[in-house]
Amino acid sequence: MSGQFLYGANIFANGIRQHYLRYGGKGTPVVLVPGITSPAITWGFVAERLAENHDVYVLDVRGRGLSSTGPDLDYGLDSMASDVVHFAEALKLNAPALLGHSMGARIAIRASNMKPAAFSRLVLVDPPVSGPGRRPYPSKLPWYVDSIRLSLKGIDAEGMKAFCPTWTEEQLKLRAEWLHTCYEPAIVTAFEDFHKDDIFPDLPKLSVPAMLMVAGRGGVIEQADIDEALALNPAIEIARVENAGHMIPWDDFDGFFAALGDFLSR
């Protein structure tokens, strides 16, 4: 932790302990919601840059990192979205922007529709668009489960390279250190919900400015999906990062911020 990092903390909201990391502390508040197996700390390198102009809160989604976990919790999309709504309320954040990646983008969409006045704008980074009757999400469940089970026994960066071959040594070390905090049933539920809970019907209901950021090499969002999203909500702004896979800031850090531009500050 360095640079813009301020502190890590816990708050009781929506009936659970929610852990978060805060960066910057000045400017427009931004709540960053990571993806399916990304504890908050793994987004620190992005939060550092965002915090140059924003007050950034990076969440540990339930069942991940240092937030509440275990067999008694509901890990469905609605519960995770409700967590974000209550998190912002509990910290008395004034209409923060939501920036969500992958699963986190789906959470951001649902949270914004739960309480539209609570958030000012959305950045939706390569959300899964699979669902009933749609093509499946390109990643497969064993990729997640196998790596989590290895991490529970202890895995190093070299072992993690088999799952994330393009990542830097620093990124691999961080994932190897923290992946064991991802509770397998939470990850399985979220992955299955990618295919059970269609996010497209939520798009026409969005009442705040929204950006859909698409990975050019991710295989998650195709042109037909973009066309459908725009037909449902023509106000959505499309940004592309052509040289990145699904983990956009990992693959093209500068491209991620170039695509984001001044959207969070408008």
Side-chain angles (χ1 to χ4, degrees), residues 214-234:
V214 179
R217 297 189 287 105
V220 174
I221 299 175
E222 297 180 353
Q223 186 58 48
D225 305 313
I226 296 172
D227 294 342
E228 182 175 357
L230 290 175
L232 292 168
N233 187 336

Side-chain angles (χ1 to χ4, degrees), residues 81-146:
S82 185
D83 287 345
V84 173
V85 172
H86 284 83
F87 174 82
E89 289 178 347
L91 287 179
K92 296 181 171 58
L93 300 181
N94 182 23
L98 290 182
L99 189 158
H101 171 249
S102 192
M103 179 194 75
R106 288 166 55 89
I107 293 171
I109 292 169
R110 189 63 56 84
S112 181
N113 283 338
M114 280 183 175
K115 192 168 183 182
F119 307 104
S120 58
R121 54 189 52 236
L122 308 176
V123 178
L124 312 171
V125 183
D126 222 40
V129 292
S130 44
R134 301 182 182 275
R135 71 180 187 285
Y137 185 60
S139 294
K140 305 302 180 186
L141 184 58
W143 186 89
Y144 301 101
V145 171
D146 292 351

Side-chain angles (χ1 to χ4, degrees), residues 201-221:
D202 289 64
L203 299 182
K205 304 171 189 175
L206 294 177
S207 59
V208 299
M211 169 187 283
L212 176 63
M213 188 182 296
V214 179
R217 297 189 287 105
V220 174
I221 299 175

